[in-house]
Amino acid sequence: MVENTSEPAGGRAVLVTGAARGIGWAVARRFAAAGDRVAILDKVRGGAAEDLVAGLDGSGHTVVEADLLDSAAVLAAVDSAAGQLGSLDVLVNNAGIFVAHPITEVSYAAWQEHWRSTLGVNLVGAANVTWCAVRHMKEHGGRIVNVSSRGAFRGEPDVPAYGASKAGLNALTQSLAIALAPYRIAVSAVAPGFVATDMTTDWLAPPGGDEIRAQSPFGRVAEPDEIAAGVFYLASAQAEWASGTILDLNGASYLRA
């Protein structure tokens, strides 16, 4: 783990999973720019961790390493993050995997492995991080924001385990919004459509990428900073009454009543 302790830091203590790149990195930068102390939970080592800390505004940030499929490592990482930050006020469950596995095109063994790994990271991993984080929040309240997907609603024919994991994450969000309200912990989610990140580079390449961009009347996909803005709002003090919300951020590419 790498910690920046060059000067005292203020603001909230924020833990973001899967924040070494993409949406998670944009989220981490958004909180750091507001003066919050950020812990990045990801699979990073050595110089990469140092670079991540150096790339955030302010001070008091840290990186903790864990594979979300390893429940013991998750517990140790969350406790380490809370210890280094001095508390936990905000959790953003962003980590996720998105790998194609069309049911008619993969072997039975591959099918099972995709379901195990995708649900293990996207749903069970998020649930475990949340359990660990709530132990550090329940005395003073907090915010939990889960990064879901429009695929939870419209389906993901080529990535069905991903769509199912995000639907499960939405159900978890709403269940915990009720369970944790007595502790002044608000729980909500954002549901992006396609976002221009490393994870979606191949999907967004022409010609398939042109069809994806055309799904939105704006003719494009989201930038990570746009998703980070929604996460930042839901984590704010003013957003307690938004607990249980699943905020669509898909550029009108999928509309639901």
Side-chain angles (χ1 to χ4, degrees), residues 2 29 63 74 114 245 248 254:
V2 176
R29 288 189 293 106
V63 177
V74 166
H114 282 301
T245 291
D248 290 331
Y254 182 76

Side-chain angles (χ1 to χ4, degrees), residues 4-48:
N4 178 352
T5 56
S6 58
E7 63 184 56
R12 297 168 294 179
V14 181
L15 175 61
V16 186
T17 70
R21 61 178 186 166
I23 294 172
W25 177 237
V27 169
R29 288 189 293 106
R30 181 68 181 83
F31 281 102
D36 296 321
R37 307 181 312 284
V38 178
I40 291 172
L41 192 161
D42 212 321
K43 294 191 291 184
V44 296
R45 291 181 174 85

Side-chain angles (χ1 to χ4, degrees), residues 1-256:
M1 64 191 67
V2 176
E3 184 179 8
N4 178 352
T5 56
S6 58
E7 63 184 56
R12 297 168 294 179
V14 181
L15 175 61
V16 186
T17 70
R21 61 178 186 166
I23 294 172
W25 177 237
V27 169
R29 288 189 293 106
R30 181 68 181 83
F31 281 102
D36 296 321
R37 307 181 312 284
V38 178
I40 291 172
L41 192 161
D42 212 321
K43 294 191 291 184
V44 296
R45 291 181 174 85
E50 295 174 354
D51 291 343
L52 287 169
V53 168
L56 296 174
D57 292 341
S59 63
H61 312 304
T62 189
V63 177
V64 292
E65 184 182 352
D67 183 337
L68 292 194
L69 294 174
D70 184 339
S71 58
V74 166
L75 177 60
V78 174
D79 284 351
S80 176
Q84 293 182 68
L85 297 179
S87 181
L88 272 185
D89 302 305
V90 177
L91 166 64
V92 180
N93 280 310
N94 165 75
I97 56 177
F98 182 81
V99 181
H101 51 280
I103 190 169
T104 58
E105 298 178 24
V106 297
S107 68
Y108 187 40
W111 176 257
Q112 292 175 76
E113 175 55 26
H114 282 301
W115 278 88
R116 184 196 70 82
S117 58
T118 301
L119 291 178
V121 172
N122 296 8
L123 180 55
V124 178
N128 287 344
V129 172
T130 301
W131 186 94
C132 297
V134 165
R135 294 162 60 243
H136 299 281
M137 290 183 176
K138 61 188 298 186
E139 298 302 321
H140 59 79
R143 298 286 182 270
I144 298 170
V145 184
N146 297 319
V147 179
S148 179
S149 169
R150 72 173 184 178
F153 305 108
R154 71 189 291 270
E156 292 287 357
D158 292 328
V159 200
Y162 179 84
S165 72
K166 295 302 186 178
L169 189 61
N170 288 346
L172 177 66
T173 296
Q174 295 182 323
S175 294
L176 295 186
I178 299 169
L180 296 175
Y183 300 95
R184 301 302 298 273
I185 299 173
V187 187
S188 56
V190 296
F194 268 90
V195 183
T197 67
D198 292 346
M199 190 169 71
T200 60
T201 297
D202 291 342
W203 293 83
L204 294 177
D210 296 334
E211 296 176 1
I212 290 171
R213 284 180 281 273
Q215 292 172 2
S216 167
F218 293 99
R220 65 177 181 88
V221 299
E223 293 297 326
D225 286 345
E226 294 176 299
I227 310 307
V231 171
F232 189 77
Y233 162 69
L234 289 173
S236 69
Q238 294 77 21
E240 182 172 275
W241 216 238
S243 192
T245 291
I246 300 168
L247 177 62
D248 290 331
L249 296 173
N250 64 48
S253 64
Y254 182 76
L255 302 176
R256 61 191 180 95

